[in-house]
Amino acid sequence: MFKKKLIAGLLGTAMVASMLTGCGGTSDTGSNDTAADTEATTAAATEAADDTADDAADDTADDAADDTADAGGKKVGIAMPTKSLERWNRDGSYLEEQFSSKGYEVSLTYSDNKIDQQVKDIESLIADDVDLLVIAAIDGESLTQVLADAKEEGIPVISYDRLIMNTDAVSYYVSFDNYTVGKLQGEFVRDQLDLDNADGPFNIEFTAGDPADNNAGFFFNGAYDALKSYIDEGKLVVPSGQTEFDQVATKSWDTATAMTRFQNILGSNYSDGTQLDVALCSNDSTALGVTQAIESDYAGSNSVIITGQDGDEANLANIVDGKQTMTVYKAVANEAVATLDLGIALLKGETPDASLIDNSGWSFDCTYDTSSYDNGTGIIPSYLLVPTVVTKDNIQSELVDTGYYTMDDDGYPHPTN
Ligand code: BGC
Protein backbone atom coordinates (compact mmCIF):
# COMPACT_ATOMS: atom_id res chain seq x y z
CA MET A 1 0.00 0.00 0.00
CA PHE A 2 1.27 3.42 -0.84
CA LYS A 3 -0.22 6.64 0.28
CA LYS A 4 0.57 10.15 -0.52
CA LYS A 5 -1.03 13.29 0.71
CA LEU A 6 -0.41 16.39 -1.25
CA ILE A 7 -2.58 19.39 -0.83
CA ALA A 8 -5.98 19.03 0.68
CA GLY A 9 -8.55 21.69 0.33
CA LEU A 10 -8.03 23.59 -2.89
CA LEU A 11 -11.03 25.81 -3.05
CA GLY A 12 -13.38 27.39 -5.54
CA THR A 13 -11.67 28.54 -8.68
CA ALA A 14 -8.58 26.55 -7.76
CA MET A 15 -10.49 23.36 -8.15
CA VAL A 16 -11.98 24.44 -11.42
CA ALA A 17 -8.54 25.48 -12.65
CA SER A 18 -7.16 22.15 -11.56
CA MET A 19 -9.88 20.38 -13.47
CA LEU A 20 -9.25 22.42 -16.57
CA THR A 21 -5.54 21.83 -16.64
CA GLY A 22 -5.68 18.29 -15.32
CA CYS A 23 -3.56 16.88 -12.52
CA GLY A 24 -1.40 14.53 -14.50
CA GLY A 25 2.25 13.77 -14.21
CA THR A 26 2.90 16.44 -16.80
CA SER A 27 4.26 19.88 -16.25
CA ASP A 28 0.90 21.54 -15.76
CA THR A 29 0.66 21.06 -12.05
CA GLY A 30 0.56 24.78 -11.41
CA SER A 31 -2.87 24.29 -9.91
CA ASN A 32 -1.29 22.46 -7.01
CA ASP A 33 1.56 24.81 -6.21
CA THR A 34 -0.27 26.35 -3.31
CA ALA A 35 0.25 24.85 0.12
CA ALA A 36 -3.26 25.36 1.40
CA ASP A 37 -4.36 22.86 3.99
CA THR A 38 -7.82 21.68 4.98
CA GLU A 39 -8.01 24.14 7.83
CA ALA A 40 -7.13 27.12 5.66
CA THR A 41 -9.24 30.14 6.26
CA THR A 42 -11.62 31.15 3.54
CA ALA A 43 -9.63 34.30 2.89
CA ALA A 44 -6.32 32.52 2.49
CA ALA A 45 -7.93 29.86 0.43
CA THR A 46 -9.59 32.35 -1.86
CA GLU A 47 -6.26 34.07 -2.41
CA ALA A 48 -4.64 30.73 -3.10
CA ALA A 49 -7.42 29.93 -5.49
CA ASP A 50 -6.89 33.19 -7.36
CA ASP A 51 -3.12 32.61 -7.63
CA THR A 52 -3.73 29.13 -8.80
CA ALA A 53 -6.23 30.21 -11.38
CA ASP A 54 -3.65 32.67 -12.75
CA ASP A 55 -0.91 30.02 -12.87
CA ALA A 56 -3.29 27.65 -14.50
CA ALA A 57 -4.32 30.19 -17.11
CA ASP A 58 -0.65 30.83 -17.98
CA ASP A 59 0.04 27.13 -18.27
CA THR A 60 -3.09 26.23 -20.13
CA ALA A 61 -2.24 27.69 -23.53
CA ASP A 62 1.17 25.96 -23.70
CA ASP A 63 -0.05 22.70 -22.35
CA ALA A 64 -3.18 22.50 -24.45
CA ALA A 65 -1.11 22.01 -27.58
CA ASP A 66 0.99 19.24 -25.93
CA ASP A 67 -2.06 17.52 -24.52
CA THR A 68 -3.87 17.49 -27.82
CA ALA A 69 -0.75 16.12 -29.49
CA ASP A 70 -0.65 13.33 -26.86
CA ALA A 71 -4.32 12.60 -27.42
CA GLY A 72 -3.49 12.12 -31.11
CA GLY A 73 -7.11 11.71 -32.19
CA LYS A 74 -7.67 8.92 -29.68
CA LYS A 75 -11.15 8.01 -28.53
CA VAL A 76 -12.38 7.26 -25.04
CA GLY A 77 -15.59 5.32 -24.44
CA ILE A 78 -17.29 6.00 -21.12
CA ALA A 79 -20.14 3.70 -20.05
CA MET A 80 -22.19 4.91 -17.08
CA PRO A 81 -25.05 2.91 -15.54
CA THR A 82 -27.99 5.30 -15.42
CA LYS A 83 -29.07 8.89 -15.19
CA SER A 84 -31.73 7.98 -12.65
CA LEU A 85 -29.23 7.78 -9.80
CA GLU A 86 -27.93 11.29 -9.35
CA ARG A 87 -24.24 10.76 -8.91
CA TRP A 88 -23.64 9.13 -12.32
CA ASN A 89 -24.75 12.33 -14.03
CA ARG A 90 -21.97 14.11 -12.20
CA ASP A 91 -19.46 11.33 -12.91
CA GLY A 92 -20.32 11.32 -16.60
CA SER A 93 -19.97 15.01 -17.05
CA TYR A 94 -16.77 15.27 -15.01
CA LEU A 95 -15.19 12.40 -16.95
CA GLU A 96 -16.28 13.85 -20.28
CA GLU A 97 -14.93 17.25 -19.30
CA GLN A 98 -11.60 15.80 -18.17
CA PHE A 99 -10.88 13.71 -21.26
CA SER A 100 -12.20 16.35 -23.67
CA SER A 101 -9.99 19.00 -22.07
CA LYS A 102 -7.00 16.87 -23.01
CA GLY A 103 -8.09 16.58 -26.62
CA TYR A 104 -9.63 13.11 -26.55
CA GLU A 105 -12.79 12.36 -28.46
CA VAL A 106 -15.33 11.13 -25.91
CA SER A 107 -18.37 8.88 -26.33
CA LEU A 108 -20.48 8.80 -23.18
CA THR A 109 -23.27 6.26 -22.77
CA TYR A 110 -25.94 5.75 -20.12
CA SER A 111 -27.77 2.43 -20.12
CA ASP A 112 -30.88 3.14 -18.04
CA ASN A 113 -29.82 0.57 -15.43
CA LYS A 114 -30.49 -2.15 -18.02
CA ILE A 115 -27.80 -4.80 -18.14
CA ASP A 116 -28.40 -5.83 -21.78
CA GLN A 117 -28.42 -2.21 -22.82
CA GLN A 118 -25.03 -1.63 -21.22
CA VAL A 119 -23.60 -4.68 -22.99
CA LYS A 120 -24.90 -3.27 -26.30
CA ASP A 121 -23.55 0.18 -25.49
CA ILE A 122 -20.10 -1.24 -24.80
CA GLU A 123 -20.26 -3.34 -28.00
CA SER A 124 -20.99 -0.14 -29.93
CA LEU A 125 -18.09 1.65 -28.29
CA ILE A 126 -15.77 -1.20 -29.28
CA ALA A 127 -17.18 -1.18 -32.82
CA ASP A 128 -16.53 2.54 -32.86
CA ASP A 129 -12.81 1.81 -32.29
CA VAL A 130 -12.40 3.47 -28.92
CA ASP A 131 -8.86 3.30 -27.55
CA LEU A 132 -9.85 3.17 -23.88
CA LEU A 133 -12.96 2.07 -22.00
CA VAL A 134 -14.04 3.56 -18.66
CA ILE A 135 -16.94 1.54 -17.27
CA ALA A 136 -19.17 1.81 -14.20
CA ALA A 137 -20.98 -1.52 -14.44
CA ILE A 138 -24.68 -1.97 -13.76
CA ASP A 139 -24.09 -5.64 -12.98
CA GLY A 140 -20.49 -6.46 -12.20
CA GLU A 141 -20.98 -10.06 -13.33
CA SER A 142 -22.42 -9.44 -16.79
CA LEU A 143 -19.62 -7.95 -18.81
CA THR A 144 -17.30 -10.95 -19.16
CA GLN A 145 -18.09 -11.65 -22.83
CA VAL A 146 -18.15 -8.10 -24.11
CA LEU A 147 -14.92 -7.32 -22.30
CA ALA A 148 -13.28 -10.40 -23.82
CA ASP A 149 -14.00 -8.67 -27.13
CA ALA A 150 -12.42 -5.46 -25.83
CA LYS A 151 -9.34 -7.39 -24.77
CA GLU A 152 -9.07 -9.02 -28.17
CA GLU A 153 -9.09 -5.55 -29.71
CA GLY A 154 -6.34 -4.48 -27.28
CA ILE A 155 -8.55 -1.88 -25.58
CA PRO A 156 -7.55 -1.21 -21.96
CA VAL A 157 -10.45 -1.14 -19.51
CA ILE A 158 -10.71 0.97 -16.36
CA SER A 159 -13.30 -0.34 -13.95
CA TYR A 160 -14.77 2.89 -12.67
CA ASP A 161 -16.12 3.08 -9.11
CA ARG A 162 -17.63 -0.44 -9.24
CA LEU A 163 -15.41 -3.47 -9.71
CA ILE A 164 -16.20 -5.52 -12.82
CA MET A 165 -16.06 -9.19 -11.90
CA ASN A 166 -14.89 -12.36 -13.63
CA THR A 167 -12.90 -10.87 -16.46
CA ASP A 168 -9.18 -10.53 -16.96
CA ALA A 169 -9.82 -7.66 -19.37
CA VAL A 170 -9.94 -5.11 -16.55
CA SER A 171 -6.63 -3.33 -16.29
CA TYR A 172 -7.23 -1.13 -13.24
CA TYR A 173 -9.88 -0.08 -10.75
CA VAL A 174 -10.50 3.52 -9.68
CA SER A 175 -12.85 4.07 -6.76
CA PHE A 176 -13.12 5.26 -3.20
CA ASP A 177 -12.24 3.07 -0.27
CA ASN A 178 -15.63 1.37 -0.21
CA TYR A 179 -15.21 -0.51 3.07
CA THR A 180 -14.28 2.79 4.72
CA VAL A 181 -17.48 4.38 3.41
CA GLY A 182 -19.50 1.86 5.44
CA LYS A 183 -17.14 2.05 8.37
CA LEU A 184 -17.62 5.82 8.55
CA GLN A 185 -21.39 5.31 8.66
CA GLY A 186 -21.11 2.73 11.45
CA GLU A 187 -18.68 4.83 13.45
CA PHE A 188 -20.92 7.84 13.05
CA VAL A 189 -23.79 5.90 14.62
CA ARG A 190 -21.50 4.67 17.40
CA ASP A 191 -20.49 8.25 18.19
CA GLN A 192 -23.99 9.71 17.93
CA LEU A 193 -25.37 7.18 20.37
CA ASP A 194 -22.20 7.20 22.48
CA LEU A 195 -22.34 3.42 22.39
CA ASP A 196 -19.21 2.95 24.49
CA ASN A 197 -20.83 4.73 27.43
CA ALA A 198 -24.60 4.72 26.98
CA ASP A 199 -26.66 1.89 28.43
CA GLY A 200 -29.02 1.41 25.51
CA PRO A 201 -30.47 -0.68 24.15
CA PHE A 202 -31.08 1.17 20.89
CA ASN A 203 -32.99 -0.11 17.89
CA ILE A 204 -31.40 -0.08 14.44
CA GLU A 205 -32.40 -1.26 10.96
CA PHE A 206 -30.08 -1.71 7.98
CA THR A 207 -30.69 -0.93 4.31
CA ALA A 208 -27.99 -1.91 1.83
CA GLY A 209 -27.46 -1.57 -1.91
CA ASP A 210 -27.75 -3.59 -5.09
CA PRO A 211 -26.35 -7.13 -4.87
CA ALA A 212 -25.24 -6.80 -8.51
CA ASP A 213 -22.92 -3.97 -7.45
CA ASN A 214 -19.71 -5.27 -5.93
CA ASN A 215 -19.44 -2.11 -3.82
CA ALA A 216 -22.67 -2.83 -1.95
CA GLY A 217 -21.19 -5.65 0.12
CA PHE A 218 -18.17 -3.55 1.03
CA PHE A 219 -20.39 -0.69 2.26
CA PHE A 220 -22.59 -3.03 4.29
CA ASN A 221 -19.68 -4.95 5.80
CA GLY A 222 -17.84 -1.77 6.72
CA ALA A 223 -20.89 -0.46 8.58
CA TYR A 224 -21.85 -3.76 10.15
CA ASP A 225 -18.32 -4.53 11.34
CA ALA A 226 -18.15 -1.14 13.05
CA LEU A 227 -21.35 -1.95 14.98
CA LYS A 228 -21.15 -5.72 15.38
CA SER A 229 -19.72 -5.76 18.90
CA TYR A 230 -22.61 -3.56 20.13
CA ILE A 231 -25.14 -5.81 18.41
CA ASP A 232 -23.46 -8.87 19.92
CA GLU A 233 -23.64 -7.41 23.44
CA GLY A 234 -27.28 -6.37 22.98
CA LYS A 235 -26.69 -2.63 23.17
CA LEU A 236 -27.91 -2.36 19.60
CA VAL A 237 -30.95 -4.40 18.68
CA VAL A 238 -32.32 -5.12 15.20
CA PRO A 239 -36.06 -5.69 15.81
CA SER A 240 -36.69 -6.97 12.26
CA GLY A 241 -33.93 -9.53 12.71
CA GLN A 242 -32.63 -8.58 9.26
CA THR A 243 -28.88 -8.51 9.66
CA GLU A 244 -27.69 -10.35 6.55
CA PHE A 245 -26.71 -8.48 3.42
CA ASP A 246 -29.16 -10.45 1.27
CA GLN A 247 -32.03 -9.53 3.60
CA VAL A 248 -31.32 -5.82 3.57
CA ALA A 249 -30.16 -5.36 -0.05
CA THR A 250 -32.03 -3.03 -2.44
CA LYS A 251 -32.22 -4.01 -6.10
CA SER A 252 -30.90 -1.26 -8.38
CA TRP A 253 -30.40 0.99 -5.35
CA ASP A 254 -33.97 2.02 -6.03
CA THR A 255 -35.60 4.64 -3.79
CA ALA A 256 -39.15 3.27 -4.10
CA THR A 257 -37.97 -0.28 -3.37
CA ALA A 258 -36.16 0.91 -0.24
CA MET A 259 -39.25 2.82 0.82
CA THR A 260 -41.63 -0.13 0.44
CA ARG A 261 -39.32 -2.50 2.29
CA PHE A 262 -38.96 -0.03 5.13
CA GLN A 263 -42.69 0.59 5.37
CA ASN A 264 -43.07 -3.17 5.83
CA ILE A 265 -40.40 -3.22 8.52
CA LEU A 266 -42.10 -0.37 10.35
CA GLY A 267 -45.51 -2.02 10.04
CA SER A 268 -44.27 -5.36 11.34
CA ASN A 269 -41.92 -4.24 14.09
CA TYR A 270 -42.65 -0.69 15.20
CA SER A 271 -46.42 -0.20 15.02
CA ASP A 272 -46.71 -1.12 18.72
CA GLY A 273 -44.77 2.02 19.65
CA THR A 274 -41.29 0.46 19.58
CA GLN A 275 -38.79 3.26 19.07
CA LEU A 276 -36.52 3.25 16.02
CA ASP A 277 -33.23 4.96 16.80
CA VAL A 278 -31.17 4.37 13.66
CA ALA A 279 -31.78 3.64 9.99
CA LEU A 280 -28.37 2.78 8.63
CA CYS A 281 -28.63 3.24 4.87
CA SER A 282 -25.73 2.53 2.55
CA ASN A 283 -26.37 5.46 0.24
CA ASP A 284 -28.55 8.47 -0.46
CA SER A 285 -30.97 6.93 -2.96
CA THR A 286 -31.95 4.28 -0.40
CA ALA A 287 -31.86 6.80 2.47
CA LEU A 288 -34.36 8.91 0.56
CA GLY A 289 -36.84 6.03 0.40
CA VAL A 290 -36.29 5.13 4.04
CA THR A 291 -36.82 8.76 5.07
CA GLN A 292 -40.09 8.82 3.12
CA ALA A 293 -41.19 5.60 4.84
CA ILE A 294 -40.38 7.04 8.26
CA GLU A 295 -42.29 10.22 7.43
CA SER A 296 -45.35 8.30 6.27
CA ASP A 297 -45.38 5.21 8.48
CA TYR A 298 -43.43 5.75 11.70
CA ALA A 299 -45.51 6.61 14.72
CA GLY A 300 -42.65 7.67 17.00
CA SER A 301 -41.77 11.31 17.57
CA ASN A 302 -38.00 10.93 18.10
CA SER A 303 -35.66 11.96 15.34
CA VAL A 304 -34.18 8.84 13.76
CA ILE A 305 -30.46 8.84 12.88
CA ILE A 306 -30.31 8.22 9.13
CA THR A 307 -27.06 7.68 7.24
CA GLY A 308 -26.37 7.99 3.53
CA GLN A 309 -23.69 8.35 0.90
CA ASP A 310 -23.06 10.60 -2.14
CA GLY A 311 -24.33 14.05 -1.28
CA ASP A 312 -27.37 13.86 -3.58
CA GLU A 313 -29.24 17.13 -3.78
CA ALA A 314 -32.47 15.92 -2.15
CA ASN A 315 -30.54 14.28 0.67
CA LEU A 316 -28.48 17.37 1.35
CA ALA A 317 -31.73 19.31 1.57
CA ASN A 318 -32.95 16.69 4.07
CA ILE A 319 -29.74 17.09 6.06
CA VAL A 320 -30.27 20.86 6.16
CA ASP A 321 -33.87 20.24 7.28
CA GLY A 322 -32.78 17.72 9.94
CA LYS A 323 -34.48 14.73 8.24
CA GLN A 324 -31.27 12.88 7.36
CA THR A 325 -28.31 12.97 9.72
CA MET A 326 -25.26 12.44 7.56
CA THR A 327 -23.97 11.45 4.16
CA VAL A 328 -20.58 10.09 3.17
CA TYR A 329 -19.36 12.38 0.44
CA LYS A 330 -17.14 11.11 -2.33
CA ALA A 331 -15.66 13.84 -4.51
CA VAL A 332 -16.37 12.32 -7.91
CA ALA A 333 -14.66 15.30 -9.54
CA ASN A 334 -11.42 13.91 -8.10
CA GLU A 335 -12.31 10.37 -9.12
CA ALA A 336 -12.53 11.69 -12.69
CA VAL A 337 -9.13 13.38 -12.38
CA ALA A 338 -7.52 10.14 -11.18
CA THR A 339 -9.21 8.25 -14.03
CA LEU A 340 -7.93 10.76 -16.57
CA ASP A 341 -4.32 10.43 -15.48
CA LEU A 342 -4.55 6.67 -15.29
CA GLY A 343 -6.18 6.63 -18.73
CA ILE A 344 -3.47 8.81 -20.23
CA ALA A 345 -0.79 6.49 -18.85
CA LEU A 346 -2.56 3.43 -20.26
CA LEU A 347 -2.98 5.07 -23.64
CA LYS A 348 0.75 5.69 -23.67
CA GLY A 349 1.27 1.97 -23.12
CA GLU A 350 2.60 2.42 -19.61
CA THR A 351 1.93 0.09 -16.67
CA PRO A 352 1.00 2.55 -13.93
CA ASP A 353 1.67 1.80 -10.27
CA ALA A 354 1.99 3.80 -7.04
CA SER A 355 4.26 6.28 -8.78
CA LEU A 356 1.23 7.60 -10.71
CA ILE A 357 0.09 9.14 -7.44
CA ASP A 358 3.56 10.32 -6.62
CA ASN A 359 3.96 12.11 -9.93
CA SER A 360 0.41 13.32 -10.31
CA GLY A 361 0.30 16.50 -8.27
CA TRP A 362 -3.24 15.57 -7.26
CA SER A 363 -4.80 17.83 -4.69
CA PHE A 364 -6.49 14.92 -2.93
CA ASP A 365 -5.50 11.78 -1.06
CA CYS A 366 -5.28 8.53 -2.94
CA THR A 367 -4.03 5.06 -2.07
CA TYR A 368 -2.59 2.52 -4.49
CA ASP A 369 -3.97 -0.81 -3.33
CA THR A 370 -2.83 -4.17 -4.62
CA SER A 371 -4.54 -6.43 -2.11
CA SER A 372 -8.21 -5.57 -1.55
CA TYR A 373 -10.01 -6.05 -4.86
CA ASP A 374 -10.01 -9.51 -6.41
CA ASN A 375 -12.46 -9.73 -9.30
CA GLY A 376 -12.37 -13.51 -9.54
CA THR A 377 -9.46 -13.55 -11.97
CA GLY A 378 -6.95 -12.09 -9.51
CA ILE A 379 -6.24 -8.82 -7.77
CA ILE A 380 -7.05 -5.72 -9.77
CA PRO A 381 -4.65 -2.89 -8.90
CA SER A 382 -6.72 -0.07 -7.48
CA TYR A 383 -6.52 3.65 -6.96
CA LEU A 384 -8.70 4.43 -3.96
CA LEU A 385 -9.74 7.92 -2.97
CA VAL A 386 -10.81 8.94 0.52
CA PRO A 387 -14.46 9.57 1.52
CA THR A 388 -15.58 12.26 3.98
CA VAL A 389 -18.43 12.46 6.49
CA VAL A 390 -20.77 15.38 5.82
CA THR A 391 -23.34 16.62 8.34
CA LYS A 392 -25.33 19.80 8.69
CA ASP A 393 -22.36 21.28 10.54
CA ASN A 394 -19.77 20.92 7.79
CA ILE A 395 -21.78 21.19 4.55
CA GLN A 396 -20.40 24.69 4.09
CA SER A 397 -16.74 23.79 4.68
CA GLU A 398 -16.71 20.40 2.93
CA LEU A 399 -19.02 20.99 0.01
CA VAL A 400 -19.46 24.69 -0.62
CA ASP A 401 -16.07 26.17 0.28
CA THR A 402 -14.44 23.41 -1.77
CA GLY A 403 -16.37 24.51 -4.84
CA TYR A 404 -18.28 21.25 -5.38
CA TYR A 405 -21.64 22.82 -4.47
CA THR A 406 -23.09 26.29 -4.30
CA MET A 407 -25.48 27.37 -1.59
CA ASP A 408 -28.75 28.97 -2.66
CA ASP A 409 -30.35 31.87 -0.82
CA ASP A 410 -32.47 29.50 1.25
CA GLY A 411 -29.41 27.64 2.53
CA TYR A 412 -29.69 24.54 0.32
CA PRO A 413 -26.64 23.25 -1.56
CA HIS A 414 -26.70 22.37 -5.29
CA PRO A 415 -23.96 20.62 -7.28
CA THR A 416 -21.79 23.09 -9.16
CA ASN A 417 -21.65 21.24 -12.48
C1 BGC B 1 -21.60 3.91 -5.74
C2 BGC B 1 -22.36 4.77 -4.77
C3 BGC B 1 -23.80 4.94 -5.24
C4 BGC B 1 -24.44 3.64 -5.68
C5 BGC B 1 -25.76 3.86 -6.35
C6 BGC B 1 -22.35 2.62 -5.95
O1 BGC B 1 -21.65 1.79 -6.80
O2 BGC B 1 -20.29 3.68 -5.25
O3 BGC B 1 -21.70 6.01 -4.66
O4 BGC B 1 -24.56 5.47 -4.21
O5 BGC B 1 -23.60 2.94 -6.56
O6 BGC B 1 -25.65 4.74 -7.43
Side-chain angles (χ1 to χ4, degrees):
M1 298 268 264
F2 177 89
K3 187 166 183 180
K4 176 160 195 224
K5 177 168 181 167
L6 275 172
I7 306 146
L10 274 181
L11 307 185
T13 51
M15 191 196 77
V16 175
S18 158
M19 293 193 58
L20 287 173
T21 56
C23 291
T26 55
S27 58
D28 60 352
T29 48
S31 57
N32 297 320
D33 288 345
T34 318
D37 72 35
T38 19
E39 304 303 320
T41 62
T42 303
T46 305
E47 195 182 317
D50 288 348
D51 291 350
T52 305
D54 290 346
D55 287 352
D58 291 345
D59 289 346
T60 302
D62 293 342
D63 291 340
D66 295 348
D67 292 338
T68 309
D70 277 352
K74 290 194 173 128
K75 289 188 204 167
V76 178
I78 301 172
M80 292 286 113
T82 176
K83 291 193 165 186
S84 65
L85 294 162
E86 183 181 314
R87 67 158 288 183
W88 306 109
N89 297 276
R90 282 184 268 130
D91 291 89
S93 63
Y94 279 128
L95 284 164
E96 186 169 37
E97 191 179 325
Q98 285 296 321
F99 281 99
S100 302
S101 76
K102 293 291 182 185
Y104 294 96
E105 193 184 314
V106 175
S107 292
L108 170 62
T109 64
Y110 284 91
S111 312
D112 198 19
N113 253 348
K114 296 193 174 91
I115 298 167
D116 294 351
Q117 182 62 46
Q118 189 167 48
V119 171
K120 278 189 204 140
D121 288 340
I122 296 169
E123 276 167 0
S124 303
L125 293 170
I126 295 171
D128 203 24
D129 289 331
V130 294
D131 299 284
L132 171 71
L133 281 166
V134 177
I135 301 171
I138 294 166
D139 178 344
E141 311 268 348
S142 300
L143 301 179
T144 309
Q145 184 51 53
V146 69
L147 292 190
D149 298 345
K151 190 173 180 186
E152 210 170 293
E153 297 295 326
I155 304 169
V157 177
I158 299 176
S159 189
Y160 181 83
D161 200 81
R162 299 171 168 179
L163 187 62
I164 305 170
M165 307 302 288
N166 303 329
T167 165
D168 63 359
V170 171
S171 323
Y172 287 89
Y173 179 43
V174 178
S175 193
F176 281 77
D177 182 335
N178 296 303
Y179 184 83
T180 296
V181 169
K183 189 166 163 238
L184 290 173
Q185 294 167 337
E187 289 175 348
F188 180 85
V189 168
R190 177 199 64 197
D191 295 347
Q192 287 281 303
L193 295 176
D194 193 16
L195 288 175
D196 287 327
N197 301 304
D199 291 335
F202 301 100
N203 291 329
I204 183 169
E205 297 293 344
F206 291 87
T207 300
D210 188 346
D213 176 352
N214 187 61
N215 288 353
F218 279 88
F219 300 146
F220 175 73
N221 289 336
Y224 198 86
D225 290 352
L227 297 173
K228 184 174 183 311
S229 63
Y230 306 104
I231 295 173
D232 289 347
E233 69 173 291
K235 210 176 253 191
L236 274 181
V237 177
V238 186
S240 70
Q242 299 187 15
T243 54
E244 299 295 323
F245 174 75
D246 289 344
Q247 297 174 304
V248 302
T250 311
K251 191 175 179 317
S252 304
W253 296 94
D254 181 55
T255 298
T257 305
M259 182 183 77
T260 305
R261 171 178 168 270
F262 216 80
Q263 284 171 333
N264 290 333
I265 285 180
L266 291 171
S268 307
N269 304 281
Y270 295 85
S271 56
D272 61 357
T274 301
Q275 175 163 314
L276 173 66
D277 298 294
V278 183
L280 194 138
C281 304
S282 284
N283 87 329
D284 280 352
S285 61
T286 55
L288 201 60
V290 167
T291 304
Q292 286 162 4
I294 289 172
E295 282 191 323
S296 63
D297 286 49
Y298 178 53
S301 54
N302 63 305
S303 92
V304 180
I305 296 169
I306 302 177
T307 66
Q309 167 187 192
D310 288 334
D312 285 356
E313 226 171 332
N315 299 75
L316 290 174
N318 279 351
I319 290 176
V320 170
D321 290 342
K323 294 180 187 170
Q324 182 173 323
T325 325
M326 64 92 87
T327 190
V328 177
Y329 182 65
K330 305 190 297 190
V332 296
N334 295 338
E335 198 173 0
V337 168
T339 305
L340 171 73
D341 287 342
L342 174 60
I344 290 174
L346 292 173
L347 285 165
K348 284 182 184 158
E350 295 169 2
T351 310
D353 55 20
S355 62
L356 184 82
I357 301 173
D358 215 8
N359 298 330
S360 68
W362 291 338
S363 60
F364 49 86
D365 288 347
C366 186
T367 301
Y368 183 64
D369 180 316
T370 53
S371 63
S372 302
Y373 289 95
D374 186 329
N375 82 338
T377 65
I379 296 284
I380 305 298
S382 307
Y383 293 91
L384 303 177
L385 285 75
V386 180
T388 316
V389 170
V390 168
T391 64
K392 195 172 183 168
D393 293 338
N394 67 357
I395 284 186
Q396 179 69 37
S397 60
E398 290 293 338
L399 300 187
V400 180
D401 293 348
T402 46
Y404 300 130
Y405 291 72
T406 49
M407 197 71 99
D408 70 19
D409 292 343
D410 298 321
Y412 295 109
H414 305 280
T416 306
N417 79 332

